[in-house]
Amino acid sequence: MTTTDWITDIALLLVVFRQLREGRLDVKSYVIPLGIVAFVAHSYLRTVPTAGNDLVLIGALVAVGAALGIAGGVYTRIRKAGTHLFIKAGAVSAALWVLGMGARMGFQLWVDHGGADDVARFSLAHQITTQDAWVAAFVLMALTEVVTRLGTIFLRGRMATRDQRQPEADGRRATVAAQRSV
């Protein structure tokens, strides 16, 4: 792993640790992680191979990234105080984030320190055509995890804002819903 690899992996891990302390949900909460994964995508994602089972590998890891991102967003506490939203990553959210980011870092370390032959044999046996497929799969997994986590947080923040704006309408909404279902 290069120094740049270490810095970007650690920066992505620190994003969630920053949120272990409650802080205001603002543009910076979205821009920093998106900026980091945009840098990673620009630096490492040269191509998305489509031969053999490359897309199966990529799709599987993107699905894992989406599941981790959505779950991480769900397990992040969001509360409204006055006109501001506050966010705090819980233990489950932090663990999921570390699991996703750490798995990628661990895989890269393993490949760099003796696992390359095993990955090559696996790739050959499962028709994964190039190293670029692995790179694309892990970069897109990270990108998907970040985007789905932030998307989930954004939607939950919008729901918290909407719910607090119209608390007296809840009774009326329930009555209207009951009347519609009859």
Side-chain angles (χ1 to χ4, degrees):
M1 286 179 60
T2 67
T3 303
T4 304
D5 296 338
W6 279 103
I7 290 170
T8 54
D9 286 345
I10 290 169
L12 282 168
L13 285 170
L14 291 177
V15 165
V16 82
F17 288 119
R18 185 177 143 260
Q19 293 176 352
L20 287 173
R21 269 192 1 207
E22 186 176 60
R24 192 166 155 200
L25 180 61
D26 55 12
V27 172
K28 190 170 52 174
S29 305
Y30 296 102
V31 170
I32 291 172
L34 287 174
I36 294 169
V37 294
F39 170 77
V40 169
H42 175 70
S43 299
Y44 296 99
L45 192 60
R46 300 287 177 231
T47 183
V48 178
T50 59
N53 285 327
D54 294 353
L55 288 179
V56 173
L57 172 69
I58 293 167
L61 290 184
V62 164
V64 169
L68 289 171
I70 291 168
V74 166
Y75 285 102
T76 298
R77 190 180 83 183
I78 298 174
R79 72 175 182 89
K80 184 169 171 68
T83 60
H84 301 292
L85 289 173
F86 290 87
I87 184 174
K88 181 178 182 186
V92 173
S93 180
L96 291 169
W97 187 263
V98 170
L99 176 69
M101 298 301 161
R104 282 184 292 281
M105 191 184 326
F107 181 82
Q108 190 170 6
L109 283 170
W110 175 61
V111 168
D112 288 348
H113 294 94
D117 289 340
D118 293 326
V119 173
R121 280 190 293 280
F122 179 89
S123 296
L124 186 61
H126 294 89
Q127 298 177 351
I128 298 167
T129 61
T130 67
Q131 175 183 339
D132 290 340
W134 288 98
V135 171
F138 279 112
V139 169
L140 292 173
M141 177 184 171
L143 181 66
T144 303
E145 183 176 356
V146 169
V147 170
T148 56
R149 181 176 185 274
L150 293 176
T152 303
I153 288 169
F154 176 79
L155 292 173
R156 291 185 60 230
R158 297 286 294 186
M159 289 177 2
T161 302
R162 185 190 66 214
D163 290 347
Q164 288 222 341
R165 243 186 311 178
Q166 300 174 339
E168 71 282 346
D170 287 339
R172 282 184 278 160
R173 245 186 279 157
T175 303
V176 170
Q179 290 171 350
R180 286 184 188 158
S181 65
V182 173

